Amino acid sequence: MNTGGRLVAGSHNRNEFVLINADESARIRSVQELSGQICKICRDEIELTVDGEPFVACNECAFPVCRPCYEYERREGNQACPQCKTRYKRIKGSPRVENDEEEDDIDDIYNEFEYENGGIGFDQVSEGVSVSRRHSGFPHSDLDSAPPGSQIPLLTYGDEDVEISSDRHALIVPPSIGGHSSKSHPASLSDPTIAAHPRPMVPQKDLAVYGYGSVAWKDRMEDWKRKQNEKLQVVKHEGDPDFEDGDDIPMMDEGRQPLSRKIPIKSSKINPYRMLIVLRLVILGLFFHYRILHPVKDAYALWLISVICEIWFAVSWVLDQFPKWYPIERETYLDRLSLRYEKEGKPSELSPVDVFVSTVDPLKEPPLITANTVLSILAVDYPVDRVACYVSDDGAAMLTFEALSETAEFARKWVPFCKKYCIEPRAPEWYFCHKMDYLKNKVHPAFVRERRAMKRDYEEFKVKINALVATAQKVPEEGWTMQDGTPWPGNSTRDHPGMIQVFLGSDGVRDVENNELPRLVYVSREKRPGFDHHKKAGAMNSLIRVSGVLSNAPYLLNVDCDHYINNSKALREAMCFMMDPQSGKKICYVQFPQRFDGIDRHDRYSNRNVVFFDINMKGLDGLQGPIYVGTGCVFRRQALYGFDAPKKKKAPGKTCNCWPKWCFMCCGSRKKRQAKKVAADKKKKNREASKQIHALENIEEGSSVSKGSNVEQSTEAMQLKLEKKFGQSPVFVASARMQNGGMARNASPACLLQEAIQVISCGYEDKTEWGKEIGWIYGSVTEDILTGFKMHSHGWRSVYCTPKLPAFKGSAPINLSDRLHQVLRWALGSVEIFLSRHCPIWYGYGGGLKWLERLSYINSVVYPWTSLPLIVYCSLPAICLLTGKFIVPEISNYASILFMALFSSIAITGILEMQWGKVGIDDWWRNEQFWVIGGVSAHLFALFQGLLKVLAGVDTNFTVTSKAADDGEFSDLYLFKWTSLLIPPTTLLIINMIGIVVGISDAISNGYDSWGPLFGRLFFALWVVIHLYPFLKGLLGKQDRMPTIIIVWSILIASILTLLWVRVNPFVAKGGPVLEICGLDCL
């Protein structure tokens, strides 16, 4: 804009300037006359406001700044004008920032407090913070001849330079004789052709404080530009096939953008789903109104039992349904993560990660599977100096130790091969056995040759591991000995010292291409008789302490020994959430879904659990986050240490001047109370300060000594408090206080190993908060639910990450008995939590747990109790068929409509869930079937076992032993193992089949009129049989065989129940058969 040589000043009216001419009084000009401005920061044209006027950031000096630069300066910078240093005020349409004053003249509630996605639109500072001399009042100098593209700011803002002479001061006006220039100084001249002496407003003020204008700024500007160019450099992710050679993404465009975003479910899918949930609630209300007001008098007991069961099912449905009210999906930006934290020519700034792998018995958990998991971790796409893998051997097996030693040796070949050719997956067993096009996207001519050599090396590695397993089958009487002849310390699995061995990561151990390898550490904690070692939770807490001493990464990943990393960028996916500057600070863990290999195509026993991972977990992610499922989870170490989540800063109060003053009487009184409170606090602080001053005046020469002693005492008290919480290890306590991780300086490896041995001793956790408030929480075999619940109660939130390529894959038990035994363990843990003090029904109020999140946790510990009404309800159809009675009276038209509406709402709800959850109908139906199978078997036994364990102290285990096996693909699917869990569902199948036969026979014998009432009873009986059909197939096996023990027990129990019912309530009347005269003369 051209000011005509006049001084530009601010006005009391927004968007107006005052132009002071040399020979005329001030007059007001509209900003529309000053349009066409260019932002002096980003060089973009200044946009128009919603009123159609150019945007004005500073009303004091009119320094031209566009809205994105203005909002960035207020949000990230000094919140002041670069020219006059006046603090920016909030302008309508821009969000509030901290320390903003209350402004009654701005009515902008919608834009006042929140940023919109991408609303800032500018996250960079380019080409220097240059100041226009024609706006600043600079004198004409030789610098005016500089080209337009090299504008140099002429203010130092108080920084003096000895190389600048006093005649180059910015406020000294050289004589100017001649024509009037638009770049002249802003002094008021009566005649522009006559030179004027400077007339400062404050004559006694030193001119040096105003700064200097000279070519000395050129060096500073060049240095500033150099730093900006470093930020603008292009960073390409190593080995990422998604990046092409021509993809130049400047950091200032992408590097400061969010690393992830939420993707809400489309309203066309989620709104009908929510409406149907509300409609289903209404239908349930009408249904129970009808059921309660229409009892069945001739079968009152059956009616009452059925109503009680239905009420429980309705409550269970509410607990399961409403946490799915806000489902979301998430998307990550790995390229932005690299641009922000991996700059070319500089060390990576990605946070270190410690990976935990837990195993117990190498004979049940094959060492080859564990080795593949470890190899996939060592080859992960992450800086090698920022990954450490800790393997917990809770069985102290020499087989695991030797297998890990062989794995470390093979990793020297496998890791560089994977990173050189971008192999996926990086577990060799699954990479070589999967039927896939391994030449896809491979262009290196040596790939085929090296792949064949690597496959041969892996086969040799497998032979070595198999030889170790064969040797370990027969344990010598004197126990195992190590290569140096010393006995293996873990010969007694229940009485052995702690053991730590660093295989990789030490000096001199590199791969075959002389590159550094991630750290690999073997850990076996100490075990002694008489100590409660708390199973897996205790082993994981030992790994936390060992890693805190040896590496102390701020983030932890835990995986089971059979869950390998299927996506080499899994850690980067998690870091997109954890390291996000805006939203990452409150995230306690990132949970990945569990995916499985080796499951049959039909997934007979719902091993994939797709409904839970793709529907329920997405619903929880929209609340406070998914629950922790025990594996495939990246934790924040500080959250595991029991610290509270950072508190969210309270937003400034909203103001509005659109209502009369009398409407704000109550608000005004509240403001007055707040003002009085602030004034009282200030007075209190002043009194305390005055007391301290008077106390300091009375202190004599020995004050410094007493002050030092007080500091030492407070430090010692804090240290004692931390040791009481974390244990008697100064090294670990010091590491726990480091929020961003890191190691102590000048700590020798020998001292660290000695300290690590101490923290895995048996008595280290005595009288500490380990397992109570810190680490994995004790008290349940499902420590995962309890640990996640504690962190959510501290105000943390979690995130559900579902990358396109599954991050982790594992193996699942696909035969019926093993699957039921797995479900039994999960249900037993839920019963233990329900009967403990950590039950979400009564624990954690007043913390940071949201109420819908609490409902999900209540559902996770209450569901085993559903087995009682479920097994009763599944028995009712058989009883009704055997007795000829029914739980519902004669159905009217209104009742028919009500039942049809209820069943329709159930079906449509499932269809809509499948639609937004992207779940197939086969997976949904298998989940419904196994809910009934597990409910009448594993959940029922878990309930009784939990009650015995918690209330009576009786620890009962249901053992599973193999009976037969078949060869071929998915042979484990037909493998049958005897367990008492099979008896209840088999009994339900038999009595319902008997009931169907008896009911149909009775209808045939009684004539046409009896078929109508029979259909309702047959429907419920067939509902039970269809849901138990996968269980029936599992019993019959591949060759349609059923073990004799199952047939005997089931027939015996069914016969007893049937005979008992006939004895109590037979088909005939109590007084014997009723004989009526038929009217025929039989003689």
Side-chain angles (χ1 to χ4, degrees), residues 130-198:
S130 58
V131 182
S132 175
R133 284 177 283 115
R134 60 174 177 263
H135 297 166
S136 310
F138 283 104
H140 181 74
S141 66
D142 297 335
L143 295 173
D144 294 336
S145 60
S150 61
Q151 298 183 14
I152 302 175
L154 300 179
L155 287 179
T156 63
Y157 304 131
D159 295 336
E160 298 187 14
D161 197 325
V162 295
E163 298 179 0
I164 303 176
S165 59
S166 60
D167 60 344
R168 304 300 298 276
H169 282 206
L171 297 182
I172 293 182
V173 183
S176 176
I177 301 176
H180 186 74
S181 173
S182 63
K183 295 184 180 181
S184 63
H185 61 84
S188 298
L189 300 176
S190 58
D191 190 346
T193 62
I194 302 176
H197 296 286

Side-chain angles (χ1 to χ4, degrees), residues 366-474:
L368 186 62
I369 302 298
T370 304
N372 274 269
T373 300
V374 172
L375 289 171
S376 67
I377 295 170
L378 298 178
V380 71
D381 183 8
Y382 209 75
V384 293
D385 59 330
R386 297 178 178 271
V387 177
C389 178
Y390 294 83
V391 180
S392 171
D393 179 17
D394 218 30
M398 191 173 182
L399 174 57
T400 304
F401 181 85
E402 293 292 345
L404 205 60
S405 176
E406 294 291 342
T407 303
E409 183 64 25
F410 179 71
R412 297 179 63 246
K413 303 177 183 178
W414 175 252
V415 172
F417 172 76
C418 291
K419 294 188 175 181
K420 181 178 180 180
Y421 297 110
C422 301
I423 299 301
E424 295 289 353
R426 299 191 176 180
E429 180 69 22
W430 283 270
Y431 171 70
F432 288 121
C433 73
H434 279 182
K435 297 179 181 179
M436 60 182 179
D437 183 11
Y438 63 87
L439 296 178
K440 186 178 181 180
N441 299 327
K442 300 297 184 297
V443 296
H444 201 285
F447 170 70
V448 176
R449 182 178 67 256
E450 294 190 18
R451 184 182 184 275
R452 290 174 181 172
M454 184 56 60
K455 186 175 182 179
R456 183 174 60 252
D457 292 339
Y458 177 66
E459 290 174 352
E460 294 176 356
F461 168 73
K462 287 178 65 175
V463 171
K464 293 179 181 179
I465 298 296
N466 293 335
L468 291 174
V469 174
T471 304
Q473 297 295 327
K474 186 177 181 181

Side-chain angles (χ1 to χ4, degrees), residues 1064-1074:
V1064 173
N1065 192 2
F1067 292 107
V1068 295
K1070 299 293 182 181
V1074 179

Side-chain angles (χ1 to χ4, degrees), residues 88 168 214 263 286 311 362 441 609 614 640 695 705 983:
Y88 278 139
R168 304 300 298 276
S214 72
I263 305 178
L286 297 175
I311 292 175
N441 299 327
N609 218 351
D614 290 352
L640 279 172
V705 179
I983 295 178

Side-chain angles (χ1 to χ4, degrees), residues 288-302:
F288 285 117
H289 179 268
Y290 171 80
R291 291 283 282 134
I292 294 174
L293 295 182
H294 294 80
V296 182
K297 297 181 179 179
D298 59 342
Y300 189 84
L302 296 179

Side-chain angles (χ1 to χ4, degrees), residues 938-957:
H939 297 174
L940 180 66
F941 278 74
L943 183 60
F944 288 109
Q945 184 180 4
L947 291 173
L948 290 174
K949 183 177 180 180
V950 175
L951 302 180
V954 179
D955 193 0
T956 306
N957 293 320

Side-chain angles (χ1 to χ4, degrees), residues 258-274:
L259 302 180
S260 64
R261 72 182 181 102
K262 296 180 181 179
I263 305 178
I265 306 299
K266 293 181 180 180
S267 58
S268 60
K269 296 181 179 179
I270 196 62
N271 287 340
Y273 176 70
R274 292 171 178 167

